[in-house]
Amino acid sequence: MTAISDPFTLGNKTFHSRFLLGTGKFASKGDLKASILASDAKIVTVALRRIDVDKNAENILEYIPEGVTLLTNTSGARTAEEAVRIARLAQAAGHGNWIKIEVINDSKYLLPDNEETVKATQVLVKEGFVILPYITPDLYIARRLVDAGAAAVMPLGSFIGSNQGLQTRAFIKTLVDEISCPVIVDAGIGAPSHACEAMELGAAAVLVNTAVAIADNPPLIAKAFAMAVRAGRSGYLSGLPAPKASGAASSPLTGFLFS
Amino acid sequence: MNIILNGKHRVVPEKTTLQNFVEQTVKNPDLVVAEVNGAIVDRVRWETTCFEEGMIIELVTFVGGG
């Protein structure tokens, strides 16, 4: 087996893909599966909801290929206690214990409650869960999450579903520079260029949902996102040159034809 | 017999087990998680868990999400 050249270690697993895909809002489940395959996403998010007892609907898991790690979010939770309850239910399903903590009590901006997220992380890490908390980027909160044993931190780029890109870029950069666990930019990534930028900043990975799900051609944009993530990662690893305030010629300043 | 299932009142036949009910209701019982009166009931115990009058049942499964 070939060694992964830029391994992405998260929890107790190693991945070669730094592109995570959300599974919400797809009009066609076939497009969802095709997008996962086209982008080679190896971690996808899902949610937990009450079954519709009067309708024997197919399950989303039927469209998620083998070998993909499920990351169940705690969407719907408004408090740490509700997030903990959802996490335990997810684990009882028997498909892993990787949880994205999402605690939201704001229906306008869908901003996460960072404090409740820390509390839920503290409880669930002790119970052996692999926890990826979704937060508004905040250095103090991120440090508390690292101390609590979070496997990564997931700062938002901009509001969920807004496609505004990295409005929080300065704060994402702060987390990349100051905390020791992987930083996965999640929410608001609306174009492959945004994903590339996140990776150039030093993010370990990105998570995209809306921009793929609502695209005219989800598998095509999913593939583009994956390429953008690889491009941004290579850019970061190469060492990006710093911007200059003035010009610097690229050809020698001697031997001109006209002097 | 009356139970509360997923937040709504429902009438179920006497002697219905959790196993019976889930099998009759969904295509993939393996993807369903059950909570009875606030406590998760592991799948291995569904066969021996009978609905009782006034029980509060939650049946959840995976759906798409970001």
Side-chain angles (χ1 to χ4, degrees):
Chain A
M1 187 161 143
T2 329
I4 301 170
S5 61
D6 175 31
F8 171 37
T9 301
L10 197 58
N12 55 349
K13 295 187 183 186
T14 300
F15 302 90
H16 59 265
S17 168
R18 293 172 178 270
F19 176 68
L20 286 67
L21 183 62
T23 62
K25 294 187 197 167
F26 280 83
S28 142
K29 298 290 190 293
D31 273 347
L32 166 60
K33 185 169 185 178
S35 299
I36 295 171
L37 293 169
S39 63
D40 201 25
K42 285 298 189 233
I43 303 170
V44 303
T45 51
V46 290
L48 266 192
R49 290 289 184 275
R50 287 168 163 170
I51 65 173
D52 187 337
V53 285
D54 300 310
K55 191 165 53 157
N56 197 350
E58 55 196 1
N59 198 290
I60 193 96
L61 293 202
E62 295 176 50
Y63 295 89
I64 298 173
E66 285 282 310
V68 170
T69 296
L70 283 185
L71 178 61
T72 306
N73 70 33
T74 64
S75 70
R78 298 153 302 179
T79 63
E81 195 182 321
E82 289 180 353
V84 167
R85 181 179 168 210
I86 294 172
R88 290 172 179 157
L89 284 164
Q91 181 181 56
H95 290 272
N97 64 352
W98 283 47
I99 303 293
K100 168 182 163 177
I101 299 186
E102 189 181 309
V103 181
I104 294 173
N105 211 347
D106 146 46
S107 57
K108 182 172 179 184
Y109 306 102
L110 304 177
L111 287 169
D113 184 327
N114 283 359
E115 300 283 345
E116 291 295 297
T117 299
V118 170
K119 287 185 205 165
T121 300
Q122 289 165 337
V123 170
L124 292 170
V125 166
K126 290 200 185 97
E127 292 180 17
F129 288 87
V130 174
I131 297 298
L132 280 65
Y134 169 66
I135 56 168
T136 305
D138 175 315
L139 184 56
Y140 294 94
I141 291 289
R143 284 187 175 139
R144 286 163 63 200
L145 289 167
V146 172
D147 287 345
V153 297
M154 305 226 281
L156 60 91
S158 50
F159 308 132
I160 290 170
S162 71
N163 298 321
Q164 288 184 36
L166 307 189
Q167 297 288 0
T168 60
R169 57 179 58 75
F171 298 91
I172 291 169
K173 183 87 179 92
T174 302
L175 298 187
V176 166
D177 289 346
E178 301 300 326
I179 66 162
S180 55
C181 75
V183 174
I184 301 174
V185 178
D186 175 16
I189 294 177
S193 54
H194 302 161
C196 187
E197 186 188 358
M199 299 307 292
E200 286 175 5
L201 286 177
V206 304
L207 197 159
V208 180
N209 189 164
T210 299
V212 175
I214 68 171
D216 289 339
N217 189 333
L220 181 59
I221 204 175
K223 185 171 179 182
F225 271 112
M227 292 195 289
V229 165
R230 288 195 296 274
R233 180 65 180 171
S234 293
Y236 173 75
L237 291 175
S238 314
L240 291 165
K244 288 171 67 71
S246 54
S250 40
S251 300
L253 295 169
T254 54
F256 290 109
L257 283 160
F258 316 103
S259 51
Chain B
M1 150 171 55
N2 297 294
I3 60 165
I4 297 171
L5 173 62
N6 288 353
K8 295 193 178 132
H9 287 277
R10 193 175 188 91
V11 178
V12 294
E14 300 283 329
K15 296 201 173 49
T16 309
T17 64
L18 204 37
Q19 183 71 32
N20 294 150
F21 188 82
V22 179
E23 273 176 359
Q24 281 156 27
T25 312
V26 296
K27 206 173 136 205
N28 313 79
D30 284 351
L31 299 175
V32 173
V33 184
E35 207 191 57
V36 174
N37 294 340
I40 296 173
V41 177
D42 288 328
R43 218 165 276 136
V44 291
R45 288 167 42 215
W46 287 5
E47 197 75 66
T48 53
T49 304
C50 256
F51 286 163
E52 284 165 25
E53 185 72 28
M55 244 180 188
I56 300 171
I57 316 272
E58 294 283 350
L59 295 177
V60 298
T61 192
F62 296 102
V63 298

